Amino acid sequence: MQQLTQKLGSGDMIIQDIPYPQLSKGFVIVKNHYSIISAGTEGSTVQAARKSLIGKAKERPQQVKQVLDTLKSQGPMQTYRAVMKKLDAYSPLGYSSAGEVIEVGEGVTEFKIGDKVACAGAGYANHAEVVAIPINLCVKLEDTSNLKHAAYNTLGAIAMQGVRQADMRLGETCVIIGLGLLGQLTALILKASGVNIIGIDVSEMALNQAVKNKAVDLGFTRNKSGLEEEIRLYTKGIGADTVIITAATSSLDPINFAGAVARKKGKVVILGDVPSGFNRNPFWYPKELELKMSCSYGPGRYDLNYEEKGIDYPVAYVRWTEKRNMQAFQELLSKKRIDIDYLTTHEFNFEAAPKAFDLVVNKTEPFTGIALKYNIEKTAIKDKVIISDPSKRGLINISFIGAGSYAQGSLLPYITPSKQIQKVGVLTNTGTTSKRVAEKFRFEYCATLEADIFNDKTDTLFIASRHDSHGSYVLKGLKSNKHVFVEKPLCLLETELNAIIHAQKKYNNTVMVGFNRRFSPLTQKIKNTLGSGPMTMIYRINAGYIPKDTWVQDPEIGGGRILGEVCHFIDYLTFINGSIPIKVSANALPDPLNLNDTVNILIQFENGSTGTIGYYANGSKSLSKEYVEIYASGTTAILSDFKALKIYGKRKPYKQKLINQNKGQKNMVETFLDSLLKGKPSPIDFNEIVAVTRASFKVLESIKNGGQQSEVFN
């Protein structure tokens, strides 16, 4: 299948073959008939991509700050890789489309194959022949629906949410600042509700279009003299009941002008991308104006449970969710209560999409809505996308499932293709990522189906997908007679762990977890100096805050931070002292969100060693992230952020400082591959992996039991 993509670094925009999208639980696969280009949101994205690096930096100061923070903590090499991954990635475009359902995922009951639907969501409703859409970002249409009109779904829902926030009554007056696509949709919806509309725009073309098609009752250009007086006269001296700002500008003029024309105790709703730093006087303070923000499509937006898991909000408590806003917009269209046909000023075949975006960026002629039309007679094929000619089998033949930021920055660069090591296939949730990774790291193909990966040619599987899929993929890998490297954690459920133990014993293939810190050169120095035996260990992690709605915190998807990250530190102490954990106790700081991400953990090991892990989400960002102290037989080792090491003993302290932080990823990957090439045991004993995973589960058990000690093997 084909999709429109752009590289953020060069701005190059192409339509290219990418893998067919994955059909996940709670999703449907839709063949697009139309998609709509958003001149505002997408236009600014495309313009930014075509700027120089300096221009990009000026547009995104927050991201520049993140780069500088990464440079400070991780060094230039990791920072360079992270930046280049962003710049080189194929970025999908589009977030509003309509088409026909051609596949239905597990658990989906409201859609069937053949249904006409309207779709929404950046990263979902892309400019592509076929898209995968979660059920709460997809609405069913009437068989007679005009799919070109329905493709305005996302923009209609955004406008609808602005109208909800305005909460206007029949006969009231609304001033809409900005008569682009979003402004005119807002005006049409409000007019259908019996609201009087005054439209304002800097563009005469936009104004004339809105007036001609009766989207507004009265329209003015912003530079018209006496504009405030005109609005006062039209409203019989009252002023606007509500002002909705749909413009996009860095100027403070819209917010201050809104204050000037709103009535006393009126309301201002920000729907567009404008600053909100209004002047207190002479209007906002004396009038006691109310300022409201409108968040995208409505309630449910950015909520993982709602958008990805399909968990709806009860209608009795949340009347208008983002999906219900979409449905309301589509109903206005189907019942012909609003007519948006005039908004589509240009239509391009999908193959000409780059030309359509040239029009948006260069503004060679006036436009409002731009529709892309797809060839619906074309059959969607699930073939893998070939990147290079098939190579001969090596001693190791590697395929990847999942290849996000971590895999691209910390795993793939260290797998050097050779006659002994061949890269076969890569499979990710997004076809754009699969395609770019396959090209950059020289895989034979990017896959569409799991069967493409679990074939006979692949004998070594790297799993770097989301945490909830690790356990099942490890099992599938073992059962298909493959060696498995899986990013931490090994799995999220004890039932999965038991099944993996059984499968590993049965098939006797290598299972390696990406516990990279034990492979750091500074860690190796500590190990060589202290050896094994009873020791006391302290590992403090200044982990930082991660919001509850992030997938890592979700117990079903990410497993939370104990299973998802603390397993790293349990493994580290296991490696350092040379024996497995046998008892665990843990206490978490009381947290209203119950995230269990500020916790003290005490571990007893088989050889008598003890370890304390302090994992803190409530610390200062200016403090280094990781700090380790090891005490053994008159010797003390202090490790700071995997950049600096001090070892105190009988003689002068040993000191070593690295230019760049080194957490051992390179050595880990190379050691793992070397063990396969030479037929050596796994670099991490499978029994240690099992013990560390069980100990992670027991940390959660101990927290739940108020800090009561739990035995790892019971």
Short mmCIF file of all heavy atoms in Angstrom, two decimals, residues 324-384:
data_model
loop_
_atom_site.label_atom_id
_atom_site.label_comp_id
_atom_site.label_asym_id
_atom_site.label_seq_id
_atom_site.Cartn_x
_atom_site.Cartn_y
_atom_site.Cartn_z
N ARG A 324 -18.51 11.32 20.06
CA ARG A 324 -19.88 11.82 19.94
C ARG A 324 -19.90 13.19 19.24
O ARG A 324 -20.89 13.53 18.58
CB ARG A 324 -20.53 11.86 21.31
CG ARG A 324 -20.81 10.44 21.85
CD ARG A 324 -21.75 10.44 23.04
NE ARG A 324 -21.08 10.57 24.31
CZ ARG A 324 -20.63 9.54 25.04
NH1 ARG A 324 -20.75 8.30 24.59
NH2 ARG A 324 -20.06 9.74 26.21
N ASN A 325 -18.83 13.97 19.39
CA ASN A 325 -18.73 15.21 18.60
C ASN A 325 -18.64 14.89 17.11
O ASN A 325 -19.25 15.57 16.27
CB ASN A 325 -17.50 16.02 19.02
CG ASN A 325 -17.77 16.90 20.23
OD1 ASN A 325 -18.91 17.25 20.52
ND2 ASN A 325 -16.71 17.27 20.94
N MET A 326 -17.85 13.87 16.76
CA MET A 326 -17.77 13.46 15.35
C MET A 326 -19.13 13.01 14.85
O MET A 326 -19.54 13.37 13.73
CB MET A 326 -16.76 12.31 15.20
CG MET A 326 -15.34 12.66 15.52
SD MET A 326 -14.31 11.16 15.43
CE MET A 326 -12.97 11.62 16.54
N GLN A 327 -19.82 12.22 15.64
CA GLN A 327 -21.14 11.74 15.23
C GLN A 327 -22.12 12.89 15.03
O GLN A 327 -22.91 12.89 14.07
CB GLN A 327 -21.67 10.76 16.27
CG GLN A 327 -20.92 9.43 16.31
CD GLN A 327 -21.29 8.57 17.50
OE1 GLN A 327 -21.68 9.08 18.56
NE2 GLN A 327 -21.16 7.26 17.35
N ALA A 328 -22.06 13.87 15.92
CA ALA A 328 -22.96 15.03 15.80
C ALA A 328 -22.66 15.82 14.53
O ALA A 328 -23.58 16.28 13.84
CB ALA A 328 -22.81 15.92 17.03
N PHE A 329 -21.38 15.97 14.22
CA PHE A 329 -21.00 16.67 12.99
C PHE A 329 -21.50 15.91 11.76
O PHE A 329 -22.05 16.51 10.83
CB PHE A 329 -19.49 16.84 12.94
CG PHE A 329 -18.98 17.42 11.65
CD1 PHE A 329 -19.24 18.74 11.32
CD2 PHE A 329 -18.24 16.64 10.77
CE1 PHE A 329 -18.78 19.28 10.12
CE2 PHE A 329 -17.78 17.18 9.58
CZ PHE A 329 -18.05 18.50 9.25
N GLN A 330 -21.30 14.60 11.76
CA GLN A 330 -21.74 13.80 10.62
C GLN A 330 -23.26 13.83 10.47
O GLN A 330 -23.79 13.79 9.35
CB GLN A 330 -21.24 12.36 10.75
CG GLN A 330 -19.73 12.20 10.72
CD GLN A 330 -19.10 12.65 9.41
OE1 GLN A 330 -19.77 12.71 8.37
NE2 GLN A 330 -17.81 12.97 9.44
N GLU A 331 -23.97 13.93 11.57
CA GLU A 331 -25.43 14.00 11.50
C GLU A 331 -25.87 15.32 10.89
O GLU A 331 -26.84 15.37 10.11
CB GLU A 331 -26.03 13.85 12.91
CG GLU A 331 -27.55 13.73 12.89
CD GLU A 331 -28.12 13.38 14.25
OE1 GLU A 331 -27.35 12.94 15.13
OE2 GLU A 331 -29.33 13.54 14.43
N LEU A 332 -25.17 16.42 11.22
CA LEU A 332 -25.48 17.70 10.59
C LEU A 332 -25.31 17.61 9.08
O LEU A 332 -26.09 18.18 8.31
CB LEU A 332 -24.57 18.79 11.15
CG LEU A 332 -24.83 19.28 12.58
CD1 LEU A 332 -23.75 20.27 13.00
CD2 LEU A 332 -26.21 19.93 12.69
N LEU A 333 -24.28 16.88 8.64
CA LEU A 333 -24.03 16.72 7.21
C LEU A 333 -25.11 15.86 6.56
O LEU A 333 -25.67 16.22 5.52
CB LEU A 333 -22.66 16.08 6.98
CG LEU A 333 -21.43 16.89 7.36
CD1 LEU A 333 -20.17 16.07 7.12
CD2 LEU A 333 -21.36 18.20 6.58
N SER A 334 -25.40 14.72 7.17
CA SER A 334 -26.34 13.78 6.55
C SER A 334 -27.75 14.35 6.48
O SER A 334 -28.50 14.06 5.54
CB SER A 334 -26.34 12.44 7.31
OG SER A 334 -26.88 12.60 8.60
N LYS A 335 -28.12 15.18 7.46
CA LYS A 335 -29.45 15.78 7.47
C LYS A 335 -29.48 17.12 6.74
O LYS A 335 -30.51 17.81 6.75
CB LYS A 335 -29.95 15.94 8.90
CG LYS A 335 -30.21 14.61 9.59
CD LYS A 335 -30.80 14.78 10.98
CE LYS A 335 -31.12 13.42 11.60
NZ LYS A 335 -31.68 13.56 12.98
N LYS A 336 -28.32 17.47 6.14
CA LYS A 336 -28.19 18.69 5.34
C LYS A 336 -28.54 19.95 6.13
O LYS A 336 -29.09 20.93 5.57
CB LYS A 336 -29.04 18.59 4.07
CG LYS A 336 -28.67 17.39 3.20
CD LYS A 336 -29.38 17.42 1.86
CE LYS A 336 -29.08 16.16 1.05
NZ LYS A 336 -27.65 15.91 0.88
N ARG A 337 -28.23 19.93 7.41
CA ARG A 337 -28.43 21.13 8.21
C ARG A 337 -27.29 22.12 8.02
O ARG A 337 -27.43 23.30 8.34
CB ARG A 337 -28.57 20.75 9.69
CG ARG A 337 -29.88 20.02 9.96
CD ARG A 337 -30.00 19.58 11.39
NE ARG A 337 -31.28 18.90 11.60
CZ ARG A 337 -31.58 18.23 12.70
NH1 ARG A 337 -30.68 18.13 13.68
NH2 ARG A 337 -32.76 17.65 12.82
N ILE A 338 -26.16 21.64 7.55
CA ILE A 338 -25.08 22.51 7.10
C ILE A 338 -24.60 22.02 5.74
O ILE A 338 -24.67 20.82 5.45
CB ILE A 338 -23.90 22.57 8.10
CG1 ILE A 338 -23.24 21.19 8.26
CG2 ILE A 338 -24.34 23.10 9.45
CD1 ILE A 338 -21.96 21.23 9.10
N ASP A 339 -24.15 22.94 4.92
CA ASP A 339 -23.65 22.61 3.58
C ASP A 339 -22.19 23.04 3.51
O ASP A 339 -21.88 24.23 3.56
CB ASP A 339 -24.46 23.32 2.51
CG ASP A 339 -23.99 22.98 1.10
OD1 ASP A 339 -23.09 22.11 0.97
OD2 ASP A 339 -24.50 23.60 0.15
N ILE A 340 -21.28 22.06 3.42
CA ILE A 340 -19.85 22.39 3.40
C ILE A 340 -19.23 22.17 2.02
O ILE A 340 -18.01 22.23 1.87
CB ILE A 340 -19.07 21.57 4.45
CG1 ILE A 340 -19.08 20.08 4.10
CG2 ILE A 340 -19.62 21.81 5.84
CD1 ILE A 340 -18.12 19.26 4.97
N ASP A 341 -20.07 21.94 1.02
CA ASP A 341 -19.54 21.63 -0.31
C ASP A 341 -18.61 22.73 -0.82
O ASP A 341 -17.59 22.45 -1.45
CB ASP A 341 -20.69 21.40 -1.28
CG ASP A 341 -20.21 20.83 -2.60
OD1 ASP A 341 -19.64 19.73 -2.60
OD2 ASP A 341 -20.38 21.51 -3.64
N TYR A 342 -18.96 23.97 -0.54
CA TYR A 342 -18.17 25.10 -1.05
C TYR A 342 -16.78 25.17 -0.44
O TYR A 342 -15.88 25.83 -0.99
CB TYR A 342 -18.91 26.42 -0.81
CG TYR A 342 -18.83 26.92 0.61
CD1 TYR A 342 -17.83 27.81 0.99
CD2 TYR A 342 -19.75 26.52 1.57
CE1 TYR A 342 -17.76 28.29 2.30
CE2 TYR A 342 -19.68 26.98 2.86
CZ TYR A 342 -18.68 27.87 3.23
OH TYR A 342 -18.59 28.33 4.52
N LEU A 343 -16.59 24.52 0.71
CA LEU A 343 -15.30 24.62 1.40
C LEU A 343 -14.18 23.90 0.64
O LEU A 343 -13.01 24.26 0.76
CB LEU A 343 -15.41 24.03 2.81
CG LEU A 343 -16.23 24.85 3.81
CD1 LEU A 343 -16.34 24.10 5.14
CD2 LEU A 343 -15.63 26.23 4.03
N THR A 344 -14.53 22.89 -0.15
CA THR A 344 -13.52 22.17 -0.93
C THR A 344 -13.23 22.96 -2.20
O THR A 344 -13.92 22.82 -3.21
CB THR A 344 -13.99 20.75 -1.28
OG1 THR A 344 -14.37 20.06 -0.09
CG2 THR A 344 -12.87 19.97 -1.97
N THR A 345 -12.21 23.78 -2.12
CA THR A 345 -11.84 24.60 -3.28
C THR A 345 -10.92 23.86 -4.25
O THR A 345 -10.79 24.26 -5.40
CB THR A 345 -11.16 25.89 -2.82
OG1 THR A 345 -10.02 25.56 -2.00
CG2 THR A 345 -12.11 26.76 -2.01
N HIS A 346 -10.26 22.80 -3.76
CA HIS A 346 -9.34 22.05 -4.62
C HIS A 346 -9.47 20.56 -4.31
O HIS A 346 -9.66 20.17 -3.15
CB HIS A 346 -7.89 22.47 -4.40
CG HIS A 346 -7.59 23.88 -4.83
ND1 HIS A 346 -8.00 24.98 -4.09
CD2 HIS A 346 -6.93 24.35 -5.91
CE1 HIS A 346 -7.60 26.07 -4.71
NE2 HIS A 346 -6.95 25.73 -5.81
N GLU A 347 -9.35 19.75 -5.35
CA GLU A 347 -9.33 18.30 -5.19
C GLU A 347 -8.20 17.73 -6.04
O GLU A 347 -8.06 18.07 -7.21
CB GLU A 347 -10.66 17.69 -5.61
CG GLU A 347 -10.72 16.18 -5.44
CD GLU A 347 -12.07 15.59 -5.82
OE1 GLU A 347 -13.11 16.19 -5.41
OE2 GLU A 347 -12.10 14.56 -6.52
N PHE A 348 -7.38 16.88 -5.43
CA PHE A 348 -6.26 16.25 -6.12
C PHE A 348 -6.40 14.74 -5.99
O PHE A 348 -6.85 14.23 -4.95
CB PHE A 348 -4.92 16.65 -5.49
CG PHE A 348 -4.55 18.09 -5.68
CD1 PHE A 348 -5.07 19.09 -4.85
CD2 PHE A 348 -3.65 18.47 -6.68
CE1 PHE A 348 -4.72 20.41 -5.01
CE2 PHE A 348 -3.29 19.80 -6.84
CZ PHE A 348 -3.82 20.77 -6.01
N ASN A 349 -5.98 14.02 -7.02
CA ASN A 349 -5.80 12.58 -6.85
C ASN A 349 -4.67 12.35 -5.85
O ASN A 349 -3.73 13.16 -5.76
CB ASN A 349 -5.46 11.92 -8.18
CG ASN A 349 -6.66 11.88 -9.12
OD1 ASN A 349 -7.81 11.87 -8.67
ND2 ASN A 349 -6.40 11.87 -10.41
N PHE A 350 -4.77 11.27 -5.12
CA PHE A 350 -3.78 10.99 -4.08
C PHE A 350 -2.35 11.02 -4.63
O PHE A 350 -1.43 11.50 -3.97
CB PHE A 350 -4.07 9.63 -3.43
CG PHE A 350 -3.03 9.17 -2.46
CD1 PHE A 350 -2.73 9.93 -1.34
CD2 PHE A 350 -2.34 7.98 -2.66
CE1 PHE A 350 -1.76 9.51 -0.43
CE2 PHE A 350 -1.38 7.55 -1.77
CZ PHE A 350 -1.08 8.32 -0.65
N GLU A 351 -2.17 10.54 -5.84
CA GLU A 351 -0.83 10.51 -6.45
C GLU A 351 -0.22 11.90 -6.60
O GLU A 351 1.00 12.05 -6.69
CB GLU A 351 -0.90 9.82 -7.82
CG GLU A 351 -1.25 8.34 -7.78
CD GLU A 351 -2.72 8.08 -7.51
OE1 GLU A 351 -3.54 9.03 -7.66
OE2 GLU A 351 -3.08 6.94 -7.15
N ALA A 352 -1.07 12.93 -6.60
CA ALA A 352 -0.59 14.31 -6.74
C ALA A 352 -0.54 15.05 -5.41
O ALA A 352 -0.45 16.28 -5.38
CB ALA A 352 -1.50 15.06 -7.72
N ALA A 353 -0.56 14.31 -4.31
CA ALA A 353 -0.58 14.94 -2.98
C ALA A 353 0.59 15.91 -2.75
O ALA A 353 0.40 16.98 -2.17
CB ALA A 353 -0.59 13.86 -1.89
N PRO A 354 1.83 15.58 -3.18
CA PRO A 354 2.92 16.56 -2.99
C PRO A 354 2.62 17.90 -3.65
O PRO A 354 2.98 18.95 -3.11
CB PRO A 354 4.12 15.86 -3.63
CG PRO A 354 3.84 14.40 -3.48
CD PRO A 354 2.35 14.29 -3.70
N LYS A 355 1.96 17.90 -4.83
CA LYS A 355 1.60 19.15 -5.48
C LYS A 355 0.57 19.92 -4.65
O LYS A 355 0.59 21.16 -4.59
CB LYS A 355 1.04 18.87 -6.88
CG LYS A 355 2.07 18.34 -7.87
CD LYS A 355 1.44 18.16 -9.25
CE LYS A 355 2.46 17.63 -10.24
NZ LYS A 355 1.87 17.42 -11.59
N ALA A 356 -0.33 19.17 -4.02
CA ALA A 356 -1.33 19.81 -3.16
C ALA A 356 -0.65 20.54 -2.01
O ALA A 356 -1.03 21.67 -1.65
CB ALA A 356 -2.31 18.77 -2.62
N PHE A 357 0.37 19.93 -1.43
CA PHE A 357 1.07 20.57 -0.32
C PHE A 357 1.94 21.73 -0.80
O PHE A 357 2.17 22.68 -0.05
CB PHE A 357 1.90 19.54 0.44
CG PHE A 357 1.12 18.84 1.51
CD1 PHE A 357 0.52 17.61 1.26
CD2 PHE A 357 0.94 19.41 2.77
CE1 PHE A 357 -0.23 16.97 2.23
CE2 PHE A 357 0.20 18.77 3.74
CZ PHE A 357 -0.39 17.54 3.49
N ASP A 358 2.42 21.66 -2.03
CA ASP A 358 3.13 22.82 -2.59
C ASP A 358 2.20 24.02 -2.64
O ASP A 358 2.61 25.17 -2.36
CB ASP A 358 3.65 22.50 -4.00
CG ASP A 358 4.86 21.57 -3.98
OD1 ASP A 358 5.52 21.48 -2.92
OD2 ASP A 358 5.13 20.93 -5.02
N LEU A 359 0.95 23.78 -3.01
CA LEU A 359 -0.04 24.85 -3.02
C LEU A 359 -0.24 25.43 -1.62
O LEU A 359 -0.30 26.65 -1.43
CB LEU A 359 -1.37 24.31 -3.56
CG LEU A 359 -2.61 25.22 -3.42
CD1 LEU A 359 -2.42 26.50 -4.20
CD2 LEU A 359 -3.86 24.48 -3.89
N VAL A 360 -0.31 24.54 -0.61
CA VAL A 360 -0.51 24.99 0.77
C VAL A 360 0.66 25.85 1.24
O VAL A 360 0.47 26.91 1.84
CB VAL A 360 -0.68 23.77 1.70
CG1 VAL A 360 -0.67 24.21 3.17
CG2 VAL A 360 -1.98 23.04 1.39
N VAL A 361 1.88 25.39 0.96
CA VAL A 361 3.07 26.08 1.46
C VAL A 361 3.34 27.36 0.68
O VAL A 361 3.63 28.41 1.25
CB VAL A 361 4.30 25.14 1.40
CG1 VAL A 361 5.58 25.90 1.75
CG2 VAL A 361 4.11 23.97 2.35
N ASN A 362 3.25 27.27 -0.65
CA ASN A 362 3.63 28.42 -1.49
C ASN A 362 2.50 29.41 -1.71
O ASN A 362 2.74 30.53 -2.16
CB ASN A 362 4.14 27.91 -2.86
CG ASN A 362 5.36 27.03 -2.72
OD1 ASN A 362 6.21 27.25 -1.86
ND2 ASN A 362 5.45 26.01 -3.56
N LYS A 363 1.26 28.97 -1.42
CA LYS A 363 0.08 29.85 -1.56
C LYS A 363 0.03 30.50 -2.94
O LYS A 363 -0.15 31.71 -3.09
CB LYS A 363 0.08 30.91 -0.46
CG LYS A 363 -0.06 30.34 0.94
CD LYS A 363 -0.06 31.43 1.99
CE LYS A 363 -0.39 30.89 3.38
NZ LYS A 363 0.57 29.90 3.87
N THR A 364 0.21 29.67 -3.98
CA THR A 364 0.21 30.18 -5.34
C THR A 364 -1.17 30.61 -5.81
O THR A 364 -1.30 31.34 -6.80
CB THR A 364 0.75 29.09 -6.30
OG1 THR A 364 0.04 27.87 -6.07
CG2 THR A 364 2.24 28.86 -6.07
N GLU A 365 -2.21 30.15 -5.12
CA GLU A 365 -3.57 30.59 -5.43
C GLU A 365 -4.42 30.41 -4.18
O GLU A 365 -4.07 29.65 -3.27
CB GLU A 365 -4.14 29.79 -6.59
CG GLU A 365 -4.16 28.28 -6.37
CD GLU A 365 -4.67 27.54 -7.60
OE1 GLU A 365 -5.91 27.48 -7.75
OE2 GLU A 365 -3.84 27.05 -8.39
N PRO A 366 -5.54 31.12 -4.10
CA PRO A 366 -6.37 31.02 -2.90
C PRO A 366 -6.96 29.61 -2.74
O PRO A 366 -7.27 28.94 -3.71
CB PRO A 366 -7.48 32.05 -3.15
CG PRO A 366 -6.95 32.95 -4.21
CD PRO A 366 -6.06 32.11 -5.07
N PHE A 367 -7.10 29.18 -1.50
CA PHE A 367 -7.69 27.87 -1.23
C PHE A 367 -8.30 27.87 0.16
O PHE A 367 -7.97 28.69 1.01
CB PHE A 367 -6.63 26.76 -1.33
CG PHE A 367 -5.53 26.89 -0.32
CD1 PHE A 367 -5.65 26.33 0.95
CD2 PHE A 367 -4.37 27.60 -0.62
CE1 PHE A 367 -4.64 26.47 1.88
CE2 PHE A 367 -3.37 27.74 0.32
CZ PHE A 367 -3.50 27.18 1.57
N THR A 368 -9.18 26.93 0.40
CA THR A 368 -9.73 26.70 1.75
C THR A 368 -9.55 25.23 2.09
O THR A 368 -8.60 24.85 2.75
CB THR A 368 -11.22 27.11 1.83
OG1 THR A 368 -11.37 28.44 1.38
CG2 THR A 368 -11.70 27.03 3.29
N GLY A 369 -10.47 24.39 1.61
CA GLY A 369 -10.33 22.95 1.86
C GLY A 369 -9.72 22.25 0.67
O GLY A 369 -10.08 22.51 -0.49
N ILE A 370 -8.77 21.33 0.94
CA ILE A 370 -8.13 20.57 -0.13
C ILE A 370 -8.37 19.09 0.14
O ILE A 370 -7.96 18.56 1.18
CB ILE A 370 -6.63 20.86 -0.20
CG1 ILE A 370 -6.39 22.35 -0.45
CG2 ILE A 370 -5.96 20.02 -1.28
CD1 ILE A 370 -4.93 22.74 -0.44
N ALA A 371 -9.03 18.42 -0.79
CA ALA A 371 -9.35 17.00 -0.63
C ALA A 371 -8.43 16.16 -1.50
O ALA A 371 -8.10 16.53 -2.63
CB ALA A 371 -10.80 16.75 -1.02
N LEU A 372 -8.01 15.02 -0.94
CA LEU A 372 -7.26 14.02 -1.70
C LEU A 372 -8.20 12.86 -2.00
O LEU A 372 -8.85 12.33 -1.09
CB LEU A 372 -6.05 13.53 -0.91
CG LEU A 372 -4.99 14.58 -0.55
CD1 LEU A 372 -3.85 13.92 0.24
CD2 LEU A 372 -4.45 15.27 -1.79
N LYS A 373 -8.26 12.46 -3.26
CA LYS A 373 -9.14 11.39 -3.68
C LYS A 373 -8.31 10.14 -4.00
O LYS A 373 -7.30 10.22 -4.68
CB LYS A 373 -9.93 11.81 -4.92
CG LYS A 373 -10.93 10.77 -5.40
CD LYS A 373 -11.70 11.29 -6.61
CE LYS A 373 -12.72 10.26 -7.09
NZ LYS A 373 -13.48 10.76 -8.27
N TYR A 374 -8.79 8.98 -3.52
CA TYR A 374 -8.04 7.73 -3.66
C TYR A 374 -8.68 6.83 -4.72
O TYR A 374 -9.90 6.87 -4.94
CB TYR A 374 -7.97 6.99 -2.32
CG TYR A 374 -7.20 7.76 -1.28
CD1 TYR A 374 -7.82 8.80 -0.58
CD2 TYR A 374 -5.87 7.48 -1.01
CE1 TYR A 374 -7.11 9.54 0.36
CE2 TYR A 374 -5.17 8.21 -0.06
CZ TYR A 374 -5.79 9.23 0.61
OH TYR A 374 -5.08 9.97 1.53
N ASN A 375 -7.86 6.00 -5.31
CA ASN A 375 -8.33 5.01 -6.28
C ASN A 375 -8.90 3.82 -5.52
O ASN A 375 -8.17 2.94 -5.06
CB ASN A 375 -7.18 4.57 -7.18
CG ASN A 375 -7.61 3.51 -8.19
OD1 ASN A 375 -8.79 3.17 -8.29
ND2 ASN A 375 -6.65 2.96 -8.91
N ILE A 376 -10.21 3.78 -5.38
CA ILE A 376 -10.84 2.74 -4.55
C ILE A 376 -10.93 1.40 -5.27
O ILE A 376 -11.30 0.39 -4.67
CB ILE A 376 -12.23 3.18 -4.06
CG1 ILE A 376 -13.16 3.46 -5.24
CG2 ILE A 376 -12.12 4.40 -3.16
CD1 ILE A 376 -14.60 3.75 -4.83
N GLU A 377 -10.61 1.39 -6.57
CA GLU A 377 -10.61 0.13 -7.30
C GLU A 377 -9.32 -0.67 -7.06
O GLU A 377 -9.26 -1.86 -7.35
CB GLU A 377 -10.76 0.39 -8.81
CG GLU A 377 -12.02 1.16 -9.18
CD GLU A 377 -13.28 0.45 -8.73
OE1 GLU A 377 -13.30 -0.80 -8.81
OE2 GLU A 377 -14.23 1.13 -8.29
N LYS A 378 -8.34 -0.02 -6.51
CA LYS A 378 -7.05 -0.66 -6.28
C LYS A 378 -7.16 -1.63 -5.10
O LYS A 378 -7.70 -1.30 -4.05
CB LYS A 378 -5.99 0.40 -5.99
CG LYS A 378 -4.58 -0.13 -5.87
CD LYS A 378 -3.61 1.05 -5.68
CE LYS A 378 -2.19 0.55 -5.52
NZ LYS A 378 -1.24 1.69 -5.31
N THR A 379 -6.63 -2.82 -5.24
CA THR A 379 -6.69 -3.85 -4.20
C THR A 379 -5.57 -3.64 -3.19
O THR A 379 -4.41 -3.43 -3.57
CB THR A 379 -6.57 -5.25 -4.80
OG1 THR A 379 -7.62 -5.44 -5.76
CG2 THR A 379 -6.67 -6.32 -3.72
N ALA A 380 -5.91 -3.68 -1.92
CA ALA A 380 -4.90 -3.56 -0.86
C ALA A 380 -4.21 -4.90 -0.67
O ALA A 380 -4.86 -5.91 -0.40
CB ALA A 380 -5.56 -3.12 0.45
N ILE A 381 -2.91 -4.92 -0.86
CA ILE A 381 -2.14 -6.16 -0.79
C ILE A 381 -1.28 -6.17 0.47
O ILE A 381 -0.69 -5.16 0.84
CB ILE A 381 -1.24 -6.30 -2.05
CG1 ILE A 381 -2.11 -6.30 -3.31
CG2 ILE A 381 -0.41 -7.57 -1.98
CD1 ILE A 381 -1.32 -6.29 -4.59
N LYS A 382 -1.20 -7.34 1.11
CA LYS A 382 -0.46 -7.46 2.36
C LYS A 382 0.97 -7.98 2.18
O LYS A 382 1.54 -8.55 3.10
CB LYS A 382 -1.21 -8.37 3.33
CG LYS A 382 -2.54 -7.82 3.80
CD LYS A 382 -3.15 -8.70 4.87
CE LYS A 382 -4.45 -8.14 5.38
NZ LYS A 382 -5.02 -8.96 6.48
N ASP A 383 1.53 -7.80 1.02
CA ASP A 383 2.88 -8.28 0.78
C ASP A 383 3.90 -7.48 1.59
O ASP A 383 3.71 -6.28 1.84
CB ASP A 383 3.25 -8.16 -0.71
CG ASP A 383 2.48 -9.16 -1.56
OD1 ASP A 383 1.88 -10.08 -0.97
OD2 ASP A 383 2.49 -9.00 -2.79
N LYS A 384 4.98 -8.14 1.98
CA LYS A 384 6.09 -7.42 2.59
C LYS A 384 6.73 -6.52 1.54
O LYS A 384 6.63 -6.77 0.34
CB LYS A 384 7.12 -8.40 3.16
CG LYS A 384 7.68 -9.40 2.17
CD LYS A 384 8.45 -10.48 2.89
CE LYS A 384 8.93 -11.56 1.92
NZ LYS A 384 9.57 -12.70 2.61
#
